[in-house]
Amino acid sequence: MASACQGSNPCPHTILKPVREMKYEIIFKGKVKAKFKSLFAEYIKRIDASEKTFDSWEGVEKHLNSKPFVLLSEKGIQMSSLEFTHFIKKKSESGIIRFVFGDENGFPIKIIEKAGFVLSLSEMTLPHDLSKIVLLEQLYRSESILRNKSYHR
């Protein structure tokens, strides 16, 4: 029997089902630089995410405790926007999705070992604050896709 979505990408039957409220935590060490703050704050507001900043990796580790999280690294898996949307939808079923960003020195081994998934936004090297904005924009795009809003088109 042929699928009703044959040749349709994305198939609305696999993505556009009722969507529960998405919950995100954006976790990092340090602060967002002034020149990126406005755009960062705009996307945090659009997706209703919480931002957790820490002065040390010990603070990040204590906050995460045994909570699942996605680590952002150039060594991670890359996805298209639609693949990322499927990933987000699946992850949202288990509650809050936490994203952890490194600093200029990367991550401590303890954090890397506890990551449930390692995601790469690009093979290109991006400034840390810009990569945070790219992630936030992709989260907003994913929500738009899941809710069939026109932003993604």
Side-chain angles (χ1 to χ4, degrees):
M1 181 172 171
S3 167
C5 295
Q6 218 165 357
S8 174
N9 191 8
C11 173
H13 296 97
T14 59
I15 293 182
L16 301 175
K17 292 182 180 172
V19 179
R20 62 182 289 219
E21 192 64 31
M22 307 284 194
K23 301 271 186 206
Y24 311 107
E25 269 188 6
I26 310 303
I27 302 164
F28 55 95
K29 184 179 153 230
K31 303 207 179 307
V32 175
K33 290 186 178 110
K35 62 184 172 185
F36 293 103
K37 274 187 180 179
S38 174
L39 194 52
F40 181 84
E42 175 62 29
Y43 277 109
I44 287 284
K45 182 179 166 186
R46 283 186 187 191
I47 64 171
D48 194 25
S50 63
E51 166 193 356
K52 306 284 184 192
T53 62
F54 296 90
D55 294 328
S56 69
W57 283 114
E58 291 78 22
V60 172
E61 190 174 1
K62 185 177 177 180
H63 173 73
L64 290 171
N65 195 5
S66 61
K67 300 170 192 161
F69 65 93
V70 176
L71 188 92
L72 278 287
S73 169
E74 70 278 359
K75 296 175 182 139
I77 295 172
Q78 293 183 13
M79 300 179 198
S80 70
S81 292
L82 292 176
E83 289 168 332
F84 185 64
T85 298
H86 282 285
F87 174 79
I88 290 302
K89 187 170 194 285
K90 185 173 181 174
K91 287 281 185 196
S92 72
E93 293 167 1
S94 59
I96 297 171
I97 308 170
R98 292 169 187 84
F99 294 94
V100 179
F101 284 86
D103 61 13
E104 64 276 357
N105 299 312
F107 298 96
I109 289 291
K110 287 181 183 179
I111 301 281
I112 295 169
E113 290 172 344
K114 292 180 181 178
F117 189 84
V118 183
L119 175 68
S120 172
L121 298 174
S122 174
E123 287 184 21
M124 294 182 199
T125 303
L126 300 172
H128 289 90
D129 288 342
L130 184 56
S131 66
K132 292 170 191 149
I133 292 166
V134 169
L135 174 72
L136 293 172
E137 189 280 335
Q138 286 300 302
L139 290 169
Y140 181 71
R141 182 174 299 278
S142 291
E143 287 193 7
S144 297
I145 291 168
L146 290 167
R147 289 175 171 76
N148 202 22
K149 293 186 177 178
S150 62
Y151 178 80
H152 179 64
R153 292 180 186 83

